[in-house]
Amino acid sequence: MGKVIDGKQVAASVIDAVKTATSALEKETGVKTGLAVVIVGDDPASHTYVNSKSKMAKECGFNSIQHTLPAETTQGELAGLVRSLNEDPSIHGILVQLPLPKDLDADAIIQSIRPEKDVDGLHVVNAGKLATGDLATGLISCTPAGAMLLVRSINGEDLSGLNAVVIGRSNLFGKPMAQLLLHANATVAMAHSRTKDLATVARGADILVAAVGRPEMVKADWIKPGATVIDVGINRIAAPERGEGKSRLVGDVAYAEASDLAAAITPVPGGVGPMTIAMLMANTVVAAHRAAGRQPPTF
Ligand code: NAP
C-alpha cells in the first residue's frame, strides 16, 4: 500500500503561511489583502465553491468581497464590474467563477481582468509567463499549482531524470501542470483523448497525473510500480450501497487497486481538491505583496 498524500494537511500549511504573510503585510504597510469573487447565475455547485472561497478569504484575514449577479446579467454589466474591480486599489485578486451562463463570453471576461489581479492564473499573460519559464512574476492556475506542491512533497524540488505523464490537456489544468513539471526538470509527456495505447504511455510515468473527468479510468496495470500518482478528477457516481439515490465522489484513478502499486497517491476527496482553494489564497496574498512593492512569500 502506497503512502496516501494528505492534501488537507498540505493545504492547511499553505493557509497558515498565507495568514502569516497577510498579517505581516498589513502590520508593515497598512495594506489589507483584498479578494473579490464574482458569481453570475444560480448554479448550486458554483455557489457552494464561491461561498467556501469567500469564507476562506475571511479566515485568512482578507478583505473578502462577493458580487452575486443574476443569471440575466449582460456582458456589458459584467465587463463593467470587472473594470471597476481592476481600478479598485483595495482589491488585489479578482475571481470570476466559471462556468458563466451560456449567453456570456467567459473568455472575453477573463482576458479583461488585469493580469496582476488574475488570481485564477487564466489570463494569457500569466499562461504565457508560465510557458516561457517565468514563474517569478506571474500567477499560476490554482489547481496545477496545488498539485505541484503535492508532487514536490514526495519527489522534491528537482525532478531531473523522472518521467512525468499528464493525462488531459485543458488550459485550466493539463497544460499548466505539464509546464510546471517541465520547469522542475521532469521529462514530460501530455496524453489526451487521441493518444494511442494510453496504458503503455501511462506505465512509463514516475509521476502520473490524471485530469480527465472519467471515473476510475486509470487502472492498476497503467501504473509503474513506485510511481507518484496525482488524481485530479472529481466524478460523482451512483452509490446504491449507501442507500437509494445516494452518490459518492471518485477520481480518475481506480484508487483501491492503484494504491497497491503506487509509492504515493492522492485520494479523492482529500487530495488535490483542498489545494485549489489554498493556492487561490496564496495567489491573492502574493498579488497584494507585489501591489505594495513588497517581496511576496513563496509556496
Ligand atoms: P476538460 O477540460 O474536460 O479536459 C479533459 C481532458 O481529458 C481533455 O484534454 C481530453 O482530451 C482528455 N480526455 C477525455 N477523455 C479521454 C480519454 N478517454 N482518454 C484520454 N484523455 C481523455 O477537464 P479539466 O477542466 O481539465 O478537468 C479534468 C478533471 O479534473 C475533471 O474531473 C474536473 O472535475 C477535475 N478538476 C478538479 C479540480 C479540483 O480539484 N479543484 C480543478 C479542475 C479540474 P481532448 O483534449 O483530446 O478532448
Side-chain angles (χ1 to χ4, degrees), residues 212-219 234-237 250-254:
V212 177
R214 287 181 163 241
E216 303 185 323
M217 181 183 84
V218 176
K219 308 293 184 202
I234 302 178
N235 311 289
R236 189 165 282 285
I237 61 166
V250 296
D252 290 344
V253 178

Side-chain angles (χ1 to χ4, degrees), residues 31 46 72 103 261 278:
V31 172
S46 294
E72 308 74 50
D103 292 338
L261 285 144

Side-chain angles (χ1 to χ4, degrees), residues 114-216:
R114 273 198 194 152
E116 57 272 28
K117 295 191 178 190
D118 165 43
V119 282
D120 242 352
L122 298 178
H123 195 284
V124 289
V125 165
N126 286 317
K129 284 185 174 181
L130 177 59
T132 53
D134 173 4
L135 274 68
T137 71
L139 292 164
I140 299 167
S141 180
C142 302
T143 307
M148 194 61 197
L149 273 191
L150 300 182
V151 170
R152 277 163 46 196
S153 76
I154 300 298
N155 296 90
E157 302 289 322
D158 185 1
L159 308 179
S160 293
L162 297 178
N163 291 329
V165 173
V166 180
I167 313 178
R169 56 173 164 178
S170 66
N171 290 333
L172 184 70
F173 185 83
K175 283 178 194 151
M177 186 71 207
Q179 304 285 2
L180 287 169
L181 289 161
L182 188 62
H183 189 78
N185 299 321
T187 302
V188 184
M190 292 187 73
H192 44 78
S193 68
R194 310 297 177 92
T195 299
K196 199 173 148 191
D197 198 359
L198 189 51
T200 304
V201 174
R203 245 191 329 268
D206 302 298
I207 298 165
L208 180 62
V209 184
V212 177
R214 287 181 163 241
E216 303 185 323

Side-chain angles (χ1 to χ4, degrees), residues 3-7 150 229-232 255 264-268 270-272:
K3 176 185 159 69
V4 180
I5 305 172
D6 186 348
L150 300 182
V229 178
I230 305 291
D231 190 353
V232 185
Y255 181 81
I265 185 166
T266 59
V268 176
V272 174

